Amino acid sequence: MHPLRSGSAVAVAVLLGAALGLGFFTLFHAEGLSYLSDDPRACANCHVMNEVFEGWQKGPHHAVATCNDCHVPHDFLGKWLSKGLNGFHHSKAFTLQDFHEPIQITRRNAEALQGSCLHCHGEFVHEVVAAQRAADDPVRCVHCHRGVGHGAAE
Amino acid sequence: LVNIQERKAEARDPYLKLVRVGDDTTDPTAWGVNWPRQYDSYRRTVDTTYTRYGGSDGTPARSRLEADPWLVRMFAGYAFALDFRERRGHAYMLDDQRQTRRITERPQPGACLHCHASVIPTYRRLGDGDVRAGFEALSRMSYGDAYAEVVETGSLNPVPEGDTQGFAHEPGAHPVSCVDCHDPQTMAVRVSRPGFLAGIAALAAGDAPVPHLASIERWRRGGRDAPYDANADASRQEMRSFVCGQCHVEYYCGPKTTLFYPWSQGLRVEQIEAVYEETRFPDGEPFYDWQHGETGARVFKAQHPEFETWSQGVHARAGVACADCHMPYVREGALKVSDHWVRSPLLNVARACQPCHPVAEAELQARVAAIQDRTHALMDRSAAALVDMLDAIAAAKAAGAGDAALAPALALQRKAQWRLDFVNAENSMGFHADQESARILGEAIDYARQAVSANQTRAAIPPASNAEKQNAER
Amino acid sequence: LVNIQERKAEARDPYLKLVRVGDDTTDPTAWGVNWPRQYDSYRRTVDTTYTRYGGSDGTPARSRLEADPWLVRMFAGYAFALDFRERRGHAYMLDDQRQTRRITERPQPGACLHCHASVIPTYRRLGDGDVRAGFEALSRMSYGDAYAEVVETGSLNPVPEGDTQGFAHEPGAHPVSCVDCHDPQTMAVRVSRPGFLAGIAALAAGDAPVPHLASIERWRRGGRDAPYDANADASRQEMRSFVCGQCHVEYYCGPKTTLFYPWSQGLRVEQIEAVYEETRFPDGEPFYDWQHGETGARVFKAQHPEFETWSQGVHARAGVACADCHMPYVREGALKVSDHWVRSPLLNVARACQPCHPVAEAELQARVAAIQDRTHALMDRSAAALVDMLDAIAAAKAAGAGDAALAPALALQRKAQWRLDFVNAENSMGFHADQESARILGEAIDYARQAVSANQTRAAIPPASNAEKQNAER
Ligand SMILES: [Ca+2]
Ligand SMILES: [Ca+2]
């Protein structure tokens, strides 16, 4: 499903290296290295993450899922590849301050997110998902559950 | 504990099939053995429900002619002036059709069954495997003969366990059934109605922008080689509306030509009108539905353009499908399933609306009421204009105006009626596309009142018109 | 890198005041020293911008009379027929008022300054501390005298660092300024305009439902002892609309009575009409704005009812304020500040809309365009009906119809014009309340065309009316 996931680990290393080289001080100073941890407070180190963090704290998933439970793939390779790519993307964006606001989820991360929903709720929604017409044409959970991670956009 | 284990077991293979069902299995009871949750809710479409402008109520259903007497004048000379009722649940579609005075007192074609029965296997049988050919054959028959064919198909495909379980239809002929919307192997939704397949392909083949139907825009960019095929090209989310668009659409199904959906120029009210204006019957005569009983104008009849109206609204643009609101997911034990009790979402706001709109139910009801009340008030206003128009034309005729002199007024009547009926026949009282519905009514008022003051009618209007009376009351 | 450190520091104390500002400090440059970010964006309201139906463009601004010549007929006999232009940015409000031929060629009252200058200190000075008294005094003066008083106030409150920095206003008199919307101590938003304070209190004191203004519904439940006081009773989110509602509203500000906002029966078009129908001038004469130059009808003028129209839309119901869209937050380093470059949100969709609608910008623009184009088409249709009406009445007059005979047609003209102007004068081309705007236009068409066929006019209509011509073109 994800060509990148099966892609070469070398690329990961290169990207990670580039990320570290380019943005080491940025990462350090902005406490961005904590990005590699699973602690939600690590995400909230960046003020641009404050709103989602606060939303998550109030949200129904607070007690059961942290940022990475939703935003990082649940298989080992996918998880670390994702962390590498996201880490690179993050430090670049933060250093250059060139990102679109409001922040928009990337397509790849949206797919990972869908996988996370199914990781936890797969049995419950099995019958609904099974009526699928094609593998690349899913019922997108966030079509209805818009605010599930960190509160509705209101 | 047993409970939990049971539920976990349930969850593992929801599609464990106990009974074989196939493309000819129209009897829902057979499917119900395999998918009891969906079947149970499907059966609830017999229930009586009630909302301000919707719901389904009474046997027979409430008469819309009695609720809005101006309809009788608008439909003068047409079967709809005999009998026109509130819609009811899917369970009743075949009975209500068979009982309407439009069928019992007027000859009607077999084409009527296209949307009121689980009819595809009959098409296939009559067409020797070619559904489209069978559809054309059945459509040409009388309603009675066609109905007998549907019953015959049923008797050729008996289902052992089949019983009607309180469902109000004759054995053999069924209202819309599982096979009409589902592939029996995979249970994926599919569309089967020849009218829809041809209509949506014609829409795709045209140029009208359809920003809410991404698969059509994509197909157009792709070179348009093979015709657009909804079952192959549409996304799952689009199919969640297309299955309803099989029937909840404007159509022509009279005796003079084969049933068709008039979408080749687009889905908006004036695009459909343009198609009708250009269409000729096979005998070369310009298209029309009927000749108005009071004025003699040749006019068009609009029927339930839900799919077309939804297409103009912000929900369609946002990718929200009919099934999202009318068949929302519901928790059944350890599983989440689609609610097959297709009905007014206002009876089910928590599931139909609140996942997307995290707002109090009363507030959501109030927002819908604001939209519907506005539409209703503007519809009453259009109706007053229509009645004034009919009075004015009648007076002009009485004063001796001939066909040629009346022609401009009659042309305006045709435009006015078409628009007013388009919103009247649509069943959401404006909700599916609120501003668009108001715009259409604004145009209806314009044309109706222009007809009143059109050259040839204006001299003869009686002193106090209805509008003046109505204004005085306000 | 330094960047990051700066940003961390910034976040700590945003309100370090370098210069004292008080209730009389109308010069924004003084405030600008303390709040440079807001000041910088505030100053950008001088910039030229452009959208399909909005934006602000040209010096002087584009003429709306040239764009829509029917306006000249609708405004016949009134100052608006001389000069009526597109609005521009806040920076220009005082210049544009002083330059309009409505001011230079017609006598106007000092009340005009209520919404075009930072005028409250002048009210306070003239009223010896009583703002309301000063407001009444200044309103009664001629525009020229009142303007001189505002300049005088400015010279009594000189600001050392004050300069106009490219702002196109005379020293002393300023367009809307910080003090008009902010408490200088806390920077909390506040409302100051006497017209608004009286109008919103009258709205509260009435019974019209205002589901979008929870603080009024709450105040009503509380026993209605003290009058509703927006500054004390409204929520912060409500205040984010009220500050704009100070000026972007329908009003009367003629010579015959004190400026007022006609909200005692509610904010809808017919509720405001009812207030006008019931109002008498101090001399006992029934209220009207002017006598129509062609027909002699006594008619009402609608002006920029943005607040009233927004109130009927789904955004208001959902608690979305003017400032949310027109002054969205922008991130300045670690701080979020309100964009004081008040302008069309279509120039700034990412900040104005996307925080709530996570949808591509092109799609959001297309949704707005669909709404605005529908409104525009219906407005053109209403305008054609209006022109037909004026022609018909003129013809009837020419044929000798007297005042009494024309009375029903003139009453209809009054209703028709009021509605058409209400949507025309509103500045969002229907976006603020799409279905409501279409409904109002539908009513305008109805009344205008009724006037054409009203008893006394109908005999005299020229053979080919505009509507017939227009239809032929379509
Ligand atoms: Ca039809
Ligand atoms: Ca006014």
Side-chain angles (χ1 to χ4, degrees):
Chain A
M1 237 167 86
H2 301 289
L4 274 173
R5 218 176 266 176
S6 52
S8 77
V10 182
V12 187
V14 170
L15 287 172
L16 263 176
L20 292 173
L22 248 176
F24 178 77
F25 185 68
T26 308
L27 278 169
F28 175 73
H29 195 75
E31 293 147 84
L33 276 180
S34 52
Y35 182 82
L36 296 178
S37 96
D38 280 343
D39 185 346
R41 279 169 305 180
C43 305
N45 270 334
C46 283
H47 54 76
V48 295
M49 299 281 107
N50 282 349
E51 275 170 34
V52 286
F53 182 77
E54 283 161 21
W56 168 76
Q57 282 186 313
K58 290 182 218 131
H61 281 83
H62 181 211
V64 295
T66 63
C67 313
N68 285 347
D69 288 329
C70 287
H71 287 291
V72 173
H74 287 257
D75 60 301
F76 181 81
L77 185 59
K79 175 170 174 172
W80 288 100
L81 178 61
S82 168
K83 284 199 172 192
L85 280 173
N86 286 340
F88 169 71
H89 192 207
H90 267 85
S91 22
K92 178 176 147 291
F94 192 79
T95 306
L96 301 180
Q97 293 286 314
D98 64 345
F99 52 92
H100 180 279
E101 287 185 83
I103 295 170
Q104 294 166 326
I105 197 159
T106 58
R107 202 195 148 99
R108 198 179 53 83
N109 280 339
E111 280 171 17
L113 185 65
Q114 172 84 5
S116 298
C117 306
L118 294 179
H119 181 78
C120 294
H121 297 290
E123 287 204 345
F124 182 53
V125 299
H126 182 169
E127 182 146 352
V128 161
V129 171
Q132 195 138 307
R133 300 171 63 245
D136 60 352
D137 188 14
V139 193
R140 284 186 58 247
C141 309
V142 298
H143 173 62
C144 296
H145 300 291
R146 282 205 276 192
V148 80
H150 8 80
E154 274 219 23
Chain B
L1 288 175
V2 184
N3 221 357
I4 294 173
Q5 249 145 357
E6 259 177 27
R7 274 199 221 108
K8 288 210 163 177
E10 268 175 9
R12 260 189 302 267
D13 187 8
Y15 294 171
L16 175 73
K17 293 181 207 165
L18 302 170
V19 169
R20 207 198 65 84
V21 293
D23 275 333
D24 289 330
T25 318
T26 55
D27 189 328
T29 53
W31 300 64
V33 178
N34 297 334
W35 297 283
R37 293 178 195 80
Q38 288 83 1
Y39 178 62
D40 284 348
S41 57
Y42 166 86
R43 284 170 58 213
R44 295 208 60 190
T45 60
V46 297
D47 287 13
T48 288
T49 57
Y50 184 74
T51 68
R52 169 105 175 74
Y53 296 106
S56 64
D57 194 8
T59 308
R62 283 167 289 165
S63 167
R64 289 174 80 171
L65 301 176
E66 281 163 25
D68 287 317
W70 56 268
L71 288 171
V72 179
R73 301 226 20 216
M74 182 162 77
F75 295 146
Y78 202 43
F80 276 85
L82 285 179
D83 195 357
F84 174 46
R85 299 185 175 273
E86 294 287 347
R87 62 266 157 210
R88 296 199 290 164
H90 278 169
Y92 296 103
M93 62 172 69
L94 199 44
D95 291 313
D96 285 349
Q97 184 175 63
R98 295 184 68 214
Q99 285 159 17
T100 180
R101 293 173 59 200
R102 308 205 297 270
I103 285 278
T104 58
E105 300 181 16
R106 291 282 184 283
Q108 297 287 4
C112 291
L113 287 164
H114 183 266
C115 302
H116 286 259
S118 193
V119 71
I120 307 295
T122 306
Y123 290 157
R124 197 177 301 110
R125 182 169 62 80
L126 294 193
D128 279 334
D130 179 343
V131 169
R132 175 87 210 174
F135 154 69
E136 287 175 9
L138 200 84
S139 295
R140 276 190 300 268
M141 293 181 185
S142 75
Y143 182 81
D145 291 351
Y147 184 78
E149 293 289 354
V150 175
V151 174
E152 167 81 6
T153 310
S155 70
L156 294 172
N157 296 280
V159 174
E161 304 91 328
D163 82 339
T164 60
Q165 299 208 23
F167 239 85
H169 60 261
E170 290 198 19
H174 299 274
V176 64
S177 181
C178 319
V179 74
D180 291 304
C181 302
H182 290 287
D183 176 328
Q185 301 314 315
T186 62
M187 286 311 278
V189 278
R190 68 167 176 195
V191 285
S192 52
R193 296 275 163 304
F196 179 82
L197 291 167
I200 199 88
L203 174 68
D207 297 317
V210 279
H212 65 304
L213 299 177
S215 73
I216 290 187
E217 305 266 7
R218 199 179 319 113
W219 175 87
R220 285 178 181 169
R221 284 193 301 273
R224 303 176 173 233
D225 303 331
Y228 176 82
D229 173 0
N231 282 313
D233 296 327
S235 71
R236 176 169 178 178
Q237 185 62 12
E238 287 170 332
M239 290 300 279
R240 290 167 57 88
S241 295
F242 284 2
V243 285
C244 317
Q246 296 187 95
C247 302
H248 287 268
V249 298
E250 161 58 10
Y251 66 92
Y252 173 77
C253 136
K256 295 217 194 160
T257 191
T258 316
L259 170 76
F260 69 98
Y261 297 2
W263 297 342
S264 56
Q265 299 194 30
L267 296 167
R268 281 166 49 200
V269 67
E270 53 269 304
Q271 292 167 328
I272 297 176
E273 183 181 44
V275 169
Y276 287 151
E277 293 289 359
E278 283 173 14
T279 301
R280 313 244 138 200
F281 287 123
D283 63 6
E285 197 190 23
F287 178 90
Y288 69 103
D289 276 297
W290 90 99
Q291 194 155 13
H292 195 265
E294 293 187 18
T295 68
R298 295 190 160 182
V299 288
F300 304 143
K301 175 78 188 82
Q303 285 101 339
H304 34 72
E306 276 94 60
F307 181 72
E308 294 87 340
T309 302
W310 163 82
S311 294
Q312 307 313 319
V314 74
H315 280 108
R317 281 208 85 121
V320 185
C322 315
D324 289 347
C325 299
H326 290 280
M327 299 183 65
Y329 291 125
V330 37
R331 173 194 274 283
E332 290 268 349
L335 283 179
K336 179 168 164 172
V337 296
S338 297
D339 189 349
H340 281 60
W341 184 9
V342 177
R343 59 182 154 147
S344 165
L346 300 185
L347 301 164
N348 198 12
V349 166
R351 295 194 180 90
C353 320
Q354 285 180 329
C356 296
H357 300 285
V359 172
E361 157 143 16
E363 171 60 18
L364 279 167
Q365 293 278 6
R367 287 188 199 169
V368 177
I371 290 169
Q372 293 188 322
D373 288 348
R374 264 192 215 112
T375 310
H376 192 249
L378 209 52
M379 195 147 84
D380 278 350
R381 189 175 283 275
S382 310
L386 175 107
V387 169
D388 272 359
M389 170 183 74
L390 296 178
D391 287 348
I393 298 175
K397 278 188 116 161
D403 283 0
L406 284 174
L410 300 191
L412 289 162
Q413 180 193 347
R414 166 141 107 176
K415 282 172 173 293
Q417 266 196 222
W418 166 243
R419 284 165 178 74
L420 172 52
D421 201 18
F422 200 90
V423 179
N424 167 65
E426 212 275 338
N427 285 298
S428 71
M429 194 52 85
F431 177 80
H432 291 146
D434 55 356
Q435 194 200 17
E436 175 72 357
S437 299
R439 179 188 75 89
I440 295 171
L441 290 172
E443 293 196 11
I445 293 169
D446 194 27
Y447 291 122
R449 294 229 171 270
Q450 283 187 43
V452 174
S453 56
N455 259 337
Q456 289 74 12
T457 46
R458 76 170 70 95
I461 302 157
S465 75
N466 284 317
E468 281 154 19
K469 270 182 263 153
Q470 207 202 9
N471 293 335
E473 279 155 25
R474 282 207 189 100
Chain C
L1 299 177
V2 183
N3 227 357
I4 294 170
Q5 248 146 357
E6 263 178 25
R7 273 192 224 112
K8 288 204 165 182
E10 271 171 10
R12 264 188 301 265
D13 186 8
Y15 291 172
L16 178 72
K17 292 182 207 164
L18 301 170
V19 169
R20 208 200 62 86
V21 294
D23 276 333
D24 290 330
T25 317
T26 55
D27 190 328
T29 52
W31 301 63
V33 179
N34 297 334
W35 296 282
R37 292 180 194 79
Q38 287 81 2
Y39 178 62
D40 284 348
S41 57
Y42 166 87
R43 284 170 59 212
R44 295 207 61 190
T45 59
V46 297
D47 287 12
T48 289
T49 58
Y50 184 73
T51 69
R52 170 105 174 74
Y53 296 105
S56 64
D57 193 9
T59 307
R62 283 167 290 165
S63 168
R64 289 173 80 171
L65 301 176
E66 279 163 26
D68 287 317
W70 55 268
L71 287 171
V72 179
R73 301 231 12 220
M74 180 162 80
F75 295 146
Y78 202 44
F80 276 85
L82 285 179
D83 196 358
F84 174 46
R85 299 184 176 273
E86 295 288 347
R87 62 267 156 210
R88 296 199 290 162
H90 278 168
Y92 297 103
M93 62 172 69
L94 198 44
D95 291 313
D96 284 348
Q97 184 174 63
R98 296 183 69 212
Q99 285 161 17
T100 180
R101 293 173 59 200
R102 308 205 298 270
I103 286 277
T104 58
E105 300 181 16
R106 291 283 186 281
Q108 296 287 4
C112 292
L113 287 165
H114 183 265
C115 302
H116 286 258
S118 193
V119 71
I120 308 294
T122 305
Y123 290 158
R124 197 177 301 111
R125 182 169 63 80
L126 293 193
D128 279 336
D130 179 343
V131 169
R132 174 89 211 173
F135 154 68
E136 288 175 8
L138 199 83
S139 295
R140 275 190 300 270
M141 293 181 186
S142 76
Y143 181 80
D145 291 351
Y147 184 79
E149 293 289 352
V150 175
V151 174
E152 168 81 8
T153 310
S155 71
L156 294 172
N157 295 282
V159 175
E161 304 91 330
D163 83 338
T164 59
Q165 298 208 23
F167 239 86
H169 61 261
E170 291 197 20
H174 299 274
V176 63
S177 180
C178 320
V179 74
D180 292 304
C181 301
H182 290 287
D183 177 328
Q185 301 314 314
T186 62
M187 285 313 277
V189 279
R190 67 169 176 193
V191 285
S192 51
R193 296 275 164 302
F196 178 82
L197 290 168
I200 199 90
L203 174 67
D207 298 316
V210 280
H212 64 305
L213 299 178
S215 74
I216 290 188
E217 305 267 7
R218 199 181 318 114
W219 175 87
R220 285 178 181 169
R221 285 193 300 274
R224 304 176 173 233
D225 302 330
Y228 175 83
D229 172 359
N231 283 313
D233 297 326
S235 70
R236 173 173 170 186
Q237 184 62 8
E238 287 169 333
M239 291 300 280
R240 289 166 58 87
S241 294
F242 283 2
V243 284
C244 317
Q246 297 187 94
C247 302
H248 287 268
V249 298
E250 160 58 12
Y251 65 92
Y252 174 77
C253 133
K256 295 217 194 158
T257 190
T258 315
L259 170 77
F260 69 98
Y261 297 1
W263 297 341
S264 56
Q265 299 194 29
L267 297 167
R268 281 166 50 203
V269 67
E270 53 269 304
Q271 293 167 328
I272 296 176
E273 183 182 46
V275 169
Y276 286 151
E277 292 289 359
E278 283 174 13
T279 302
R280 313 244 138 201
F281 286 122
D283 65 6
E285 196 189 24
F287 177 91
Y288 68 102
D289 276 298
W290 91 98
Q291 193 157 14
H292 196 265
E294 293 187 19
T295 68
R298 294 189 162 184
V299 288
F300 304 143
K301 177 76 188 81
Q303 285 101 340
H304 35 72
E306 276 93 61
F307 181 73
E308 295 87 341
T309 302
W310 163 82
S311 294
Q312 308 313 319
V314 74
H315 281 108
R317 281 208 83 123
V320 186
C322 315
D324 289 339
C325 299
H326 290 279
M327 299 182 66
Y329 289 119
V330 352
R331 205 167 52 79
E332 296 251 352
L335 287 178
K336 283 206 167 180
V337 298
S338 299
D339 188 350
H340 281 60
W341 184 9
V342 176
R343 59 182 157 147
S344 165
L346 301 185
L347 301 163
N348 197 14
V349 165
R351 297 208 166 78
C353 319
Q354 286 181 329
C356 297
H357 300 285
V359 172
E361 156 143 15
E363 170 60 18
L364 280 166
Q365 293 278 7
R367 288 188 198 168
V368 176
I371 289 170
Q372 293 189 321
D373 288 348
R374 265 191 214 112
T375 309
H376 192 249
L378 209 53
M379 194 147 86
D380 276 352
R381 190 175 284 275
S382 310
L386 176 107
V387 169
D388 272 358
M389 170 183 76
L390 295 178
D391 288 349
I393 297 176
K397 280 188 114 162
D403 282 0
L406 284 175
L410 300 192
L412 289 162
Q413 180 192 349
R414 168 141 104 176
K415 282 173 173 291
Q417 266 196 225
W418 166 243
R419 284 164 176 74
L420 172 52
D421 201 17
F422 200 90
V423 179
N424 168 64
E426 212 276 337
N427 285 297
S428 71
M429 194 52 84
F431 177 80
H432 291 146
D434 55 357
Q435 194 201 18
E436 174 72 357
S437 298
R439 179 188 75 89
I440 294 171
L441 290 172
E443 293 195 11
I445 294 169
D446 194 27
Y447 291 123
R449 294 228 172 269
Q450 283 186 42
V452 174
S453 55
N455 258 339
Q456 290 73 11
T457 46
R458 76 170 70 95
I461 301 158
S465 76
N466 285 316
E468 282 155 18
K469 268 181 267 156
Q470 206 203 8
N471 293 337
E473 278 156 26
R474 281 204 192 99

